[in-house]
Amino acid sequence: MKKDYDLVIVGAGPAGMSAGMYGARSGLETLVLEKGISGGLSNEAPEIENYPGFKNVRGMELVEKMKEQVSEYVEIKELENVERIELKENQAVVFTEKGVYVSKAVVMSMGARHRKSGAKGEDEFLGRGVSYCATCDGFFFKGKSVVVIGGGDSAVREALHLNNIGCDVTVIHRRDKLRAEPYLQNKLEQSSVAILWDSVVKAIAGDKKVEGVVTHNKKTGKDDELPVDGVFISVGEEPNNELATQIGVTVDKNGYIITDKSQRTNIERVYAAGDITGGVRQIVVACAEGAIAALAAYDDLLALT
Ligand code: NAP
């Protein structure tokens, strides 16, 4: 299979879907490719309260609505992983496991993946008590004790979600101050979630499944054991930048793609949008960046003709 496009978008999170809709509505022959299912990490958000127009919505539900709307304009090919991109004479050739697509412009919206905490046993117990998604796995821990590692928005949201579904939750944070937005911090304070400050999880212990964690207090230097059934790791994200760096797109020291205000990268007609660009990582921002990227592509392609 081989087809020519004006705009190919890699990744169907909120940024990619938005780029797809704006590209197609601008009259560009547009295709969105997604290695998994649409929505990216937004699927995992237990609840979203800051996307305008929705007072409170589950991530999965918001993403489903986006997909339904965007699919009216543009094809989203899910479960089609982009393996590599080659730049050739004003064209990008996009190779997936299922086909080859030639495009005049590319939007990179591959998003981010969960960062690992580095605790001993993290990989060993993955799926056996260790999880990176409370929305996906929290149900299995109803009535049980769990810890959430991290102090950002995601960790606090996950802790609140787990608490709501009936888990006994302790947040373990490496400092004495949370990074999460004040609104979430207040919600956490009002809940029955416990917080273990200045502490990291050194090791996750158990036999066939998680039975406890070894914590290390960075201020006192003391180690402790905490019996738990589940460990939810929420220590931030890393950009999925491999396809970008392979073709020479410039990234910052943390691996996020550098763009200008029109979402242009250092390579002509290659744009980036959403979490892959770092910065304010919010769905509303990802959608806006996707729209800007597609409109910039439209302008640049128009200038070529
Ligand atoms: P984040 O804001 O980067 O926070 C990561 C947290 O994990 C920080 O508290 C950090 O500690 C801690 N941490 C990092 N590495 C660690 C390690 N190895 N061991 C222990 N702790 C570690 O990540 P996030 O919460 O996933 O959020 C990512 C982005 O999405 C942010 O921009 C956030 O605002 C956004 N987001 C927003 C919402 C919302 O509802 N508005 C929800 C989810 C995510 P330090 O604080 O000490 O650095």
Side-chain angles (χ1 to χ4, degrees):
M1 188 194 350
K2 191 174 166 110
K3 187 156 180 1
D4 289 355
Y5 287 90
D6 296 317
L7 182 62
V8 165
I9 294 152
V10 186
M17 284 197 274
S18 173
M21 181 164 68
Y22 274 78
R25 282 174 60 99
S26 300
L28 300 179
E29 187 73 29
T30 305
L31 173 69
V32 185
L33 295 166
E34 163 58 50
K35 71 170 180 207
I37 56 158
S38 302
L41 290 183
S42 305
N43 275 309
E44 299 182 5
E47 50 181 352
I48 295 164
E49 295 157 317
N50 52 9
Y51 188 77
F54 294 82
K55 250 174 120 172
N56 187 309
V57 61
R58 283 186 311 123
M60 220 177 267
E61 195 186 330
L62 179 62
V63 156
E64 197 48 47
K65 284 186 193 301
M66 283 185 187
K67 186 179 154 188
E68 197 185 320
Q69 181 184 7
V70 169
S71 299
E72 303 254 318
Y73 302 102
V74 62
E75 184 183 9
I76 304 176
K77 285 184 186 282
E78 294 185 326
L79 301 174
E80 184 156 350
N81 186 37
V82 174
E83 290 171 335
R84 68 177 204 283
I85 296 173
E86 282 177 18
L87 299 176
K88 279 186 190 155
E89 295 158 21
N90 286 337
Q91 284 183 324
V93 187
V94 180
F95 295 85
T96 75
E97 55 207 355
K98 295 181 184 163
V100 180
Y101 307 92
V102 178
S103 184
K104 294 176 185 149
V106 173
V107 173
M108 303 199 132
S109 46
M110 292 90 74
R113 56 180 170 256
H114 297 293
R115 186 186 289 144
K116 291 187 178 182
S117 76
K120 188 166 172 278
E122 181 169 356
D123 291 338
E124 188 188 337
F125 288 106
L126 182 62
R128 293 189 290 135
V130 169
S131 167
Y132 294 85
C133 175
T135 317
C136 323
D137 303 324
F139 179 77
F140 301 111
F141 296 88
K142 194 174 170 182
K144 297 186 175 175
S145 293
V146 300
V147 293
V148 175
I149 308 176
D153 285 338
S154 303
V156 173
R157 280 224 175 272
E158 302 232 317
L160 288 168
H161 173 71
L162 291 164
N163 187 236
N164 281 342
I165 61 174
C167 301
D168 178 13
V169 187
T170 303
V171 168
I172 302 181
H173 183 39
R174 64 182 179 185
R175 291 188 294 135
D176 59 1
K177 196 174 181 308
L178 295 170
R179 181 182 291 278
E181 60 170 335
Y183 176 82
L184 289 174
Q185 292 193 32
N186 289 341
K187 274 184 112 172
L188 193 70
E189 259 171 42
Q190 285 156 23
S191 76
S192 58
V193 172
I195 306 181
L196 198 58
W197 298 108
D198 301 310
S199 299
V200 291
V201 171
K202 265 173 70 171
I204 300 164
D207 182 14
K208 290 199 170 67
K209 57 184 181 55
V210 169
E211 288 167 18
V213 291
V214 179
T215 61
H216 173 75
N217 187 303
K218 294 173 78 178
K219 281 201 172 145
T220 63
K222 208 171 148 251
D223 287 355
D224 263 318
E225 282 176 28
L226 187 65
V228 292
D229 304 293
V231 178
F232 287 85
I233 299 170
S234 201
V235 296
E237 298 160 1
E238 288 171 347
N240 292 321
N241 65 12
E242 292 77 5
L243 289 171
T245 53
Q246 276 162 19
I247 57 167
V249 169
T250 308
V251 297
D252 68 16
K253 66 176 183 353
N254 296 314
Y256 292 98
I257 296 179
I258 297 172
T259 67
D260 68 7
K261 280 188 171 173
S262 298
Q263 306 305 132
R264 295 183 176 97
T265 69
N266 59 309
I267 295 182
E268 269 189 326
R269 291 179 297 286
V270 175
Y271 312 81
D275 281 4
I276 190 87
T277 67
V280 180
R281 278 168 285 158
Q282 301 285 317
I283 296 176
V284 70
V285 174
C287 289
E289 288 186 358
I292 294 168
L295 295 177
Y298 173 77
D299 283 347
D300 294 346
L301 291 178
L302 200 64
L304 272 187
T305 54

